[in-house]
Amino acid sequence: MLSLRISASSGVPVYLQLEQQIKQAIASGLLQSGDALPSTRRTAADLRINPNTVARAFQNLEREGIIRTVPGGGTFVADIAAAGSGLLKAEKMRRLRPLATQLAVEASQLRVPADDLHKLLDAAVQELDKSHRATRSNPKPQEGNQ
């Protein structure tokens, strides 16, 4: 089950927090291709935020090919393989550059050496790979077969 949390004090716009959390849930294997997302209204009510904020996050994710909306049918995680492979390397790098810059700035402010930062990033990538392997070898149980 997807559990979204909003931090009003983080300085990150709420719609971006939603986008990041949904992307993280997909990357970690918590959400997989075809999984349903809660409706815009339900998400807004649960988080006590404006439905337009949720709609903006969902629209951005749909524009990126991460989710798809079926009129009258709901919102679902898109085919993850197709979403990632459809992007040119330059576009992937363009999306990651601000995150890399933010990480570098934070590390610099905390006086974390570059080698330690590289090790931290490598460990995060390895953990994500391990999570993906575990998810693939342990598929989610089907409804009614639990």
Side-chain angles (χ1 to χ4, degrees):
M1 168 118 184
L2 180 62
S3 177
L4 299 171
R5 302 211 186 289
I6 299 302
S7 171
S9 62
S10 73
V12 177
V14 173
Y15 75 94
L16 286 178
Q17 291 181 50
L18 292 174
E19 289 178 33
Q20 291 168 349
Q21 289 178 45
I22 291 170
K23 288 177 182 179
Q24 178 62 32
I26 293 168
S28 70
L30 181 64
L31 287 176
Q32 297 180 354
S33 297
D35 285 352
L37 293 174
S39 71
T40 300
R41 288 183 185 184
R42 170 84 184 262
T43 302
D46 289 349
L47 297 173
R48 295 186 172 108
I49 59 175
N50 189 313
N52 291 331
T53 303
V54 178
R56 180 177 183 181
F58 281 13
Q59 287 168 355
N60 289 346
L61 291 168
E62 187 165 20
R63 193 175 308 114
E64 292 178 24
I66 294 170
I67 63 174
R68 62 183 171 79
T69 301
V70 177
T75 303
F76 302 89
V77 176
D79 179 7
I80 297 165
S85 64
L87 296 176
L88 297 173
K89 182 176 180 180
E91 174 63 12
K92 292 176 184 178
M93 294 297 111
R94 184 192 68 75
R95 288 186 187 182
L96 290 174
R97 189 167 289 112
L99 298 171
T101 300
Q102 181 180 355
L103 183 61
V105 167
E106 289 287 330
S108 174
Q109 289 175 346
L110 295 171
R111 307 221 189 293
V112 173
D115 286 345
D116 290 348
L117 181 60
H118 292 174
K119 288 176 188 174
L120 180 67
L121 185 57
D122 287 342
V125 169
Q126 289 175 356
E127 185 63 32
L128 189 59
D129 287 345
K130 188 168 89 175
S131 174
H132 276 163
R133 284 192 300 273
T135 302
R136 281 189 216 114
S137 65
N138 244 347
K140 291 194 287 190
Q142 297 292 322
E143 289 292 321
N145 293 345
Q146 297 179 10

